[in-house]
Amino acid sequence: MIRAADVTVGDELPPLSLRITRADLVRYAGASGDFNPIHWSDRFAAGVGLPGVIAHGMLTMGLAGRIVTEWAGDPGAVVEYGVRFGRPVPVPDDDEGALVEVTGKVTKALEDGTFKVNVTASFEGKSVLGGASARVRLS
């Protein structure tokens, strides 16, 4: 677990590479109750102008947040986390899935003793989450 005394503004978090597969979408749909056909039907997704089946935005958000919880060493250290959904993550119907690359950087030490961490998640070199940041309280 990282300590506040060891954190400096500008520190970069260890990068995270995440694979999202169709099986992940099925599991997430069951857990969340979000069975929108854009997350499982290529035909429906194409019919509404998408490049194919896409990952749930909240799944992408949650997975990207792992970069902060793994760095902090305690999910309870994250006191705030928010994103804007930018681009969809198309998930091919194969064993590889979609590769989402996540990075993070400490951008502020706040007066209340917390740190602001900006998170970037990208698919095929393009950002998929906008304004993603977390506020973290470290001991």
Side-chain angles (χ1 to χ4, degrees), residues 23-34:
D24 295 322
L25 302 185
V26 170
R27 286 189 288 273
Y28 187 81
S32 69
D34 182 351

Side-chain angles (χ1 to χ4, degrees), residues 8-138:
T8 304
V9 171
D11 286 354
E12 294 188 10
L13 282 58
L16 187 60
S17 295
L18 304 165
R19 289 238 173 239
I20 302 173
T21 65
R22 293 278 178 103
D24 295 322
L25 302 185
V26 170
R27 286 189 288 273
Y28 187 81
S32 69
D34 182 351
F35 296 100
N36 187 319
I38 64 173
H39 304 304
W40 56 267
S41 170
D42 284 304
R43 182 177 47 81
F44 187 89
V48 297
L50 293 168
V53 165
I54 62 170
H56 301 75
M58 295 296 286
L59 173 60
T60 304
M61 175 187 179
L63 290 172
R66 282 183 36 202
I67 195 168
V68 179
T69 59
E70 289 180 7
W71 169 75
D74 174 12
V78 178
V79 296
E80 186 177 320
Y81 178 52
V83 309
R84 286 188 313 274
F85 301 112
R87 287 186 175 82
V89 176
V91 180
D93 189 10
D94 61 20
D95 293 333
E96 303 259 335
L99 179 63
V100 176
E101 300 287 350
V102 185
T103 59
K105 185 175 188 176
V106 178
T107 58
K108 284 185 185 175
L110 301 164
E111 290 181 15
D112 65 358
T114 61
F115 294 90
K116 181 179 179 186
V117 177
N118 284 353
V119 175
T120 302
S122 59
F123 171 74
E124 294 183 340
K126 295 179 183 172
S127 178
V128 296
L129 299 176
S133 68
R135 193 165 53 91
V136 183
R137 183 174 315 282
L138 303 171

